[in-house]
Amino acid sequence: MKIWTVANQKGGVGKTTTTVTLGGLLAQQGHRVLLIDVDPHASLSYYFGIDSEELSSSVYDLFIHKGTLTSDVTMDCLCPTKLDSLFVLPATMNLATLDRTLGTQNGMGLIIKKALKLIENEFDYVLMDCPPVLGVLMVNALAACERVLVPVQTEFLALKGLDRMMHTLEIMGTSLSKEFNTTIIPTMFDKRIKAAMDAYDKLKEDYGDQTWDGHIPVDTRFRDASQAQSPASVAFPRSRGVYAYKKLIKELG
């Protein structure tokens, strides 16, 4: 089972779009895929029409049952999607209370890693959509993964946010005694805008080895796909944004 975490400490850079689109493409390739929403805002969950306020179980349950976690407890939290091999482990607003109520307890940073170990034979890929803040949820997502995907909007304010995220990965890598396999993904790229071109060049200059050679273009089909509650690769398979993510999948392997 390959586990990828999609993270950035700046919002609005394409984390949920990246998680959903890559997950949809992998599922369409025949892989069993689990998407985990670890953001209290539950954007990924709402994307698939899952109302976090009406859920009987969610990611939050993994933390509540941390001492009695089983594969059944974990699997019971999953929600199906329109794709037979694509499932969602949804979020609820209760996640926003974790740092205050349980964050200081021993082992709280490894709950998701333990849960995924219990169901490792059920899925080929797991992709996690992170909140834009460093706390127990992002720590869990980073501790569990083998690859970090960092979407970065091609504009200069987003590059500042990237610097903060890369520093966080250095700190977390030291704390967890692991080296993250990190891929920076330029997103919302518009070649007609000089500022976007300049930001892209700066990104390559500062993080050349870690930056994907391609880019994800601005594409209104991503918004249309979210309204359809379906991955763009299903709703609009010939869109230029989906084509770009297909190229990215080949790079990631």
Side-chain angles (χ1 to χ4, degrees):
M1 182 167 70
K2 295 183 178 181
I3 305 173
W4 300 347
T5 288
V6 183
N8 194 326
Q9 286 172 267
K10 186 179 186 305
V13 296
K15 293 190 297 293
T16 301
T17 296
T18 295
T19 306
V20 171
T21 309
L22 290 179
L25 285 169
L26 289 167
Q28 287 176 287
Q29 291 175 5
H31 299 293
R32 297 170 298 171
V33 182
L34 173 62
L35 306 182
I36 304 181
D37 191 348
V38 290
D39 188 341
H41 289 105
S43 295
L44 186 147
S45 304
Y46 284 121
Y47 187 109
F48 288 98
I50 302 168
D51 189 340
S52 67
E53 296 181 3
E54 297 181 358
L55 291 172
S56 59
S57 57
S58 68
V59 175
Y60 186 71
D61 289 72
L62 303 184
F63 292 88
I64 296 302
H65 295 95
K66 62 182 185 301
T68 56
L69 264 181
T70 64
S71 59
D72 287 341
V73 168
T74 305
M75 292 298 289
D76 284 346
C77 294
L78 308 190
C79 296
T81 71
K82 296 175 182 178
L83 289 175
D84 290 340
S85 59
L86 181 67
F87 290 82
V88 174
L89 178 46
T92 61
M93 282 300 295
N94 287 338
L95 288 174
T97 68
L98 278 180
D99 280 290
R100 184 179 71 253
T101 58
L102 301 173
T104 59
Q105 295 184 14
N106 289 335
M108 286 301 292
L110 301 174
I111 301 301
I112 291 178
K113 182 176 182 178
K114 292 178 180 177
L116 292 179
K117 183 67 176 177
L118 293 169
I119 60 171
E120 62 182 347
N121 294 324
E122 299 292 333
F123 295 97
D124 302 310
Y125 286 87
V126 176
L127 284 78
M128 288 181 272
D129 187 17
C130 281
V133 293
L134 179 59
V136 68
L137 293 167
M138 185 181 288
V139 169
N140 264 269
L142 292 175
C145 76
E146 60 192 36
R147 181 188 287 273
V148 181
L149 306 179
V150 186
V152 181
Q153 184 178 358
T154 45
E155 58 98 17
F156 278 97
L157 287 180
L159 298 191
K160 288 297 183 182
L162 173 63
D163 292 339
R164 185 167 65 252
M165 185 66 216
M166 299 304 285
H167 182 60
T168 293
L169 290 178
E170 286 183 25
I171 295 172
M172 288 301 302
T174 301
S175 175
L176 296 168
S177 298
K178 65 188 289 186
E179 186 173 341
F180 294 107
N181 183 358
T182 305
T183 302
I184 298 168
I185 305 167
T187 61
M188 305 180 192
F189 179 76
D190 189 339
K191 64 182 180 182
R192 299 169 299 177
I193 299 175
K194 184 179 184 300
M197 295 291 292
D198 291 343
Y200 181 77
D201 291 342
K202 180 64 174 174
L203 192 59
K204 296 291 290 182
E205 178 184 335
D206 291 348
Y207 298 100
D209 292 341
Q210 294 172 295
T211 304
W212 174 45
D213 284 336
H215 55 262
I216 306 301
V218 172
D219 190 342
T220 57
R221 289 304 193 185
F222 290 133
R223 182 182 60 221
D224 296 339
S226 67
Q227 291 178 332
Q229 298 179 351
S230 180
S233 60
V234 175
F236 304 102
R238 295 187 178 183
S239 64
R240 57 180 182 167
V242 170
Y243 177 73
Y245 276 111
K246 284 182 178 179
K247 291 174 64 177
L248 176 60
I249 281 280
K250 291 180 180 178
E251 292 284 334
L252 297 176

